[in-house]
Amino acid sequence: MNFRKYLIPIGIACLFIASYNAWGWQGPITVSGGLVMWALLHYTRLMNVMQKANKSPIGYVGSAVMLNAKLRPGVNLLHVVAMTRSLGELQTPEGTDPEIYRWTDGTQSFVTCEFVNGRLVRWELKRPETPAEKAPAVDMEAKSSAQS
């Protein structure tokens, strides 16, 4: 259950009531100013993240392995976009929940992230299959005689 839907508005209403009881009409006006400032800070952060993401191709990340190491459950999509500096490539039809996004790096490794209600619940790193290349045959005798 998503408690944030209910707790934040209830908290704001309690803040308004407490400020009115403490300072009269100046209290709610001050709280309103603080809420407007909070909203502007979040809007500014959103715009900065989107401007940085605009400069990268959709679904591209510098290193999928590093992204995989930095991800934590419960972070929101905006936080992941800020980490990757790129919008993820949507893998599910638009408007469905859960949403699945993919970020790929230059080595074709990719991280697939699943978001439920805008929060990261699971992710998976996939690396490309490498053909079974023969390792250069090292003659152990030649190596040991070279060291002697």
Side-chain angles (χ1 to χ4, degrees):
M1 187 168 183
N2 192 359
F3 291 108
R4 291 181 186 155
K5 280 184 179 179
Y6 306 109
L7 288 181
I8 291 176
I10 290 171
I12 290 171
C14 290
L15 195 58
F16 270 105
I17 292 168
S19 67
Y20 179 76
N21 288 336
W23 297 294
W25 285 108
Q26 291 176 342
I29 291 171
T30 304
V31 169
S32 297
L35 289 174
V36 167
M37 180 60 98
W38 176 75
L40 289 173
L41 285 171
H42 281 282
Y43 179 77
T44 301
R45 180 171 187 260
L46 174 69
M47 289 297 110
N48 284 333
V49 168
M50 289 301 141
Q51 283 176 351
K52 289 176 185 174
N54 186 32
K55 296 175 183 171
S56 297
I58 292 179
Y60 177 79
V61 67
S63 172
V65 175
M66 290 303 295
L67 174 62
N68 181 55
K70 290 179 182 178
L71 290 175
R72 300 286 176 257
V75 298
N76 61 16
L77 179 59
L78 180 64
H79 184 80
V80 177
V81 170
M83 282 193 308
T84 61
R85 296 182 182 206
S86 170
L87 297 174
E89 182 181 354
L90 186 61
Q91 302 293 308
T92 55
E94 194 171 326
T96 60
D97 205 28
E99 297 175 314
I100 299 175
Y101 290 93
R102 177 178 289 170
W103 284 270
T104 307
D105 66 7
T107 64
Q108 300 307 312
S109 297
F110 59 87
V111 177
T112 305
C113 299
E114 182 178 335
F115 294 88
V116 175
N117 294 326
R119 299 280 173 179
L120 183 63
V121 290
R122 79 179 58 84
W123 64 94
E124 181 180 11
L125 171 67
K126 290 280 187 175
R127 289 186 157 176
E129 296 285 329
T130 56
E133 298 174 346
K134 286 189 176 182
V138 176
D139 187 12
M140 294 304 280
E141 291 176 21
K143 187 175 181 182
S144 63
S145 65
Q147 290 178 352
S148 300

